[in-house]
């Protein structure tokens, strides 16, 4: 969250406008645990390419999480558990 010089939260005008546009829309609901599936599917294709054989074979998994630091933490915990000797460069 952004804060002003006094430590008070600041909500950007663009965020307020987005809230106004979607108020009462389905996007106000909580997402499933893994995130918005269509977003994850498109993200995989963007990162690896539509023609990638691993993409075509559904061999790549993705989840959506909150915030950049939250995503990094989720990935780091996953790597620590399943590949503890792996090197991660961020």
């Amino acid at each position: 969250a952004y804060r002003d010089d006094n430590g008070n939260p600041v909500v950007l005008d663009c965020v307020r406008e987005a809230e106004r546009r979607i108020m009462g829309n389905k996007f106000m609901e909580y997402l499933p645990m893994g995130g918005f599936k269509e977003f994850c599917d498109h993200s995989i294709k963007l990162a690896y390419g539509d023609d990638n054989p691993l993409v075509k074979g559904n061999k790549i998994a993705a989840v959506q999480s909150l915030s950049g630091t939250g995503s990094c933490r989720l990935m780091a915990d996953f790597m620590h558990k399943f590949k503890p000797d792996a090197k991660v460069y961020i």
Side-chain angles (χ1 to χ4, degrees):
Y2 294 106
R3 299 203 176 267
D4 64 16
D5 291 338
N6 298 317
N8 296 317
V10 175
V11 180
L12 301 174
D13 291 339
C14 60
V15 172
R16 290 287 185 221
E17 175 63 17
E19 288 175 337
R20 185 191 66 73
R21 289 184 185 190
I22 64 172
M23 192 62 66
N25 196 318
K26 67 179 180 178
F27 294 106
M28 299 302 284
E29 297 292 327
Y30 286 105
L31 292 173
M33 288 279 293
F36 186 45
K37 182 175 179 352
E38 188 174 345
F39 174 82
C40 293
D41 291 344
H42 286 294
S43 296
I44 290 171
K45 290 177 182 176
L46 178 65
Y48 295 95
D50 288 332
D51 295 330
N52 185 300
L54 297 174
V55 172
K56 287 182 173 183
N58 292 319
K59 301 292 183 185
I60 301 174
V63 295
Q64 180 184 7
S65 67
L66 296 175
S67 78
T69 54
S71 298
C72 290
R73 173 62 191 260
L74 181 64
M75 185 275 307
D77 286 347
F78 179 88
M79 292 298 290
H80 179 70
K81 181 174 182 177
F82 294 103
K83 189 114 170 114
D85 295 330
K87 292 182 182 178
V88 177
Y89 301 93
I90 298 176

